[in-house]
Amino acid sequence: MTDPTKSRPRGWWMAPALFIALVVIAAGLRIAPSKIFTLDPPLAQNYAKHVYFTNFHAKTICESGEFWGYDPTYGAGIVTGSGWFIAYLFPAVMGCVTGWDAAVIIKLMLLTVFILWPMGAYLSARWLGLDRRQAILAGFLEFCITQFSFREQGIMSSMVGSSLGMSLVLPLTAGFRRLNQTEARPWVSAAVLAVTATLIFSLNPHASLVMVVCLSAVMWDRRRLLLNPKCVGILALAPLAVFGLVWPWTKPMMKYNASIAVFWDLLYPMVHLGWNALNRAATFLALLQPLHIFMVIPGYRNFRRPGPEHSQVVRMVFGIYLAIVAAVLLVVATGQGPKVFPMRYLDFAISLMTIPAAIRLLEVLRGQYGRRRLVTTVLGFVAALGLSMLVFRPWQQLRTEMPDNIARMMTWLDENTDDQSRLLIETTHNFSDDYPFDFAGLLPRLLPGREFVALPTTESPGVAHSTGLTEGILNWIPIASYSPERLDDYMRVYSVGWVVAFHDLSVQRLREQPELFEPREQFGAFHVFKVLRAPSYFLAGSGKVNAVADRISLTDLRPDKDGEVVLSYHLFSSLRTVSGEKLEGVSHPFDPMHWIKLTNPPDAVEIVNDVSLGFPDFAPDQNEYPPRVIEVLRKLGVRTDVADGTGIVVRRVPSQEDLPAPTW
């Protein structure tokens, strides 16, 4: 193994310095320096959503110490904080500690991830015993992957936390291996492992699984055990440290996953119809990336005939690579891809190839295999890089300015709407020039005081009672299937005063009902309609309402003839009244979640989200999706016997008679 402490040749620092300069300058080109510390959020696919919910969670962590809360801003009241968006945890904690806005934190994370991938590869190579030139070549290959591949598109489209977590796994593995081959005290290894593992988990739980695989590979060696008995104990204790640090915040998320398990199996495949095919295509496209193929060929040759100096490292790295790729292919082949996001694992597996490929390629560049091999290798790299640039169109700069039509629409909505009703904003899963990013996450920032039926894409608990309009689908049902009476009832139940639609089917259906919707303005592909029904946040009774995070204040309450007040806000078990009035739930077929009901209340009532009551169940029937919804799905031709996990097949488009009748 190369000893990095031995005497260094003169000018040894120049190559690493040039490499670091290349990495830092390339990262700096991703966002204008003047925009880094502004409050303008990144505007690419889902970043606006991440900014909003990160700020929300930073507030709940600072105020209650919990990573969840009741948010009336979206979806008629949601409890936000989800299992698969645990990636909000790290930036939320940073926001609570520093007081910085999430827009600043996420932009700094984006710059960091473009630096950390290539720098992490360089450090990992050094810690695994490669010499300086081999390590720089490994870092350069990682730099090319980060700048010219699926990874670059993922980072720029919103997956910065996930990618940042994955970028730490290989340096952690290599550093832990080196620490346990030196005379370092075991507690040093324990501290490094615990802190880094906690950070990785808070950024990306998927990376934690990869981390376990990598650390297990470090422990196993055919010739000798790399870890002494004390270090074996470290591997057992470090996860307990991670568990203790993160579990108080992640425990509610586990409960969420359990509560919604039936929904996940029943509806998720239907909503994302075709995702299995998409995952299969994306998986094979990722494996066929030109730069990946370019690295696999020399990496495999090095695996088959490794030099004596690096044989253990090459076998370990290639073994991890093969294990991850095989697992991903198995998951995708069985149709479970949408549940585990296989692209995230493949991204890490591809980066592993930088180690064996760098060893072999440096030998080629030194002429050990002849001039012909050298020329073909250089030409192969140029071709792979050029093809990657052609396919992925990299070097896009992060956008922080809204398109003109959306900016004008937001100004118009701010001037013409008020807080007496909600805005129904149509969302999409397929971003395009007409709908370039998920601007629903910007709404609370641009239209303060308003509430919105739209959820930014499909945010956590919102999917359990998806109330919104997405690509012509309203509440899981095509909007074309709604009768005028049902459309009017929907607007009443969700207190909708304005609709922003962009899909042709949605716009057409709203224009067909001039007695319900008045076209007001058009901004590019977006059409703004005013709902002619007088809106009210009270479904029964009347009064005044002021709803903010974790609190709903009611005044001037006037019950109906039955002594009831029903609010257009969802009820969760964590909600209670300050003065002790009982909260009851009432259902409606539009939504499996219950609405808040008060019986014979006083003139003023304060409803708060009490975190001491625990994280609530999302499905009202506790771990079972409401039978009325399952009945509707069966009418639609949806197979509901999904215990085998094979997914759902929709056989026909629903019609009006498939909708259940309202109960009140």
Side-chain angles (χ1 to χ4, degrees), residues 171-198 211 215 218-219 226-239 241-242:
L172 171 64
T173 304
F176 186 69
R177 184 179 187 274
R178 179 164 182 79
L179 279 174
N180 289 288
Q181 288 181 316
T182 64
E183 298 301 321
R185 296 180 180 180
W187 66 266
V188 175
S189 297
V192 170
L193 180 60
V195 171
T196 312
T198 302
M211 178 182 66
L215 293 178
V218 168
M219 292 183 64
L226 293 175
L227 305 181
N228 57 48
K230 291 182 180 179
C231 294
V232 174
I234 291 171
L235 278 178
L237 292 174
V242 177

Side-chain angles (χ1 to χ4, degrees), residues 68-72 76-79 548-552 567 569-578 580-584 594-598 606-617:
W68 64 278
Y70 183 84
D71 184 10
I78 64 173
V79 169
V548 295
D550 289 332
R551 185 175 297 271
I552 302 174
L567 303 178
Y569 289 95
H570 289 117
L571 174 67
F572 292 95
S573 59
S574 58
L575 297 179
R576 66 171 179 82
T577 61
V578 173
E581 288 80 15
K582 182 180 179 182
L583 296 179
E584 300 177 273
H594 290 168
W595 303 94
I596 297 174
K597 183 177 81 170
L598 290 157
E606 196 86 358
I607 301 173
V608 296
N609 183 55
D610 189 348
V611 296
S612 66
L613 297 177
F615 195 69
D617 291 316

Side-chain angles (χ1 to χ4, degrees), residues 402-410 433-434 436 523-526:
M402 285 190 297
D404 179 66
N405 63 319
I406 296 179
R408 289 187 294 107
M409 181 174 68
M410 291 300 165
D433 292 338
D434 290 332
F523 302 91
F526 297 96

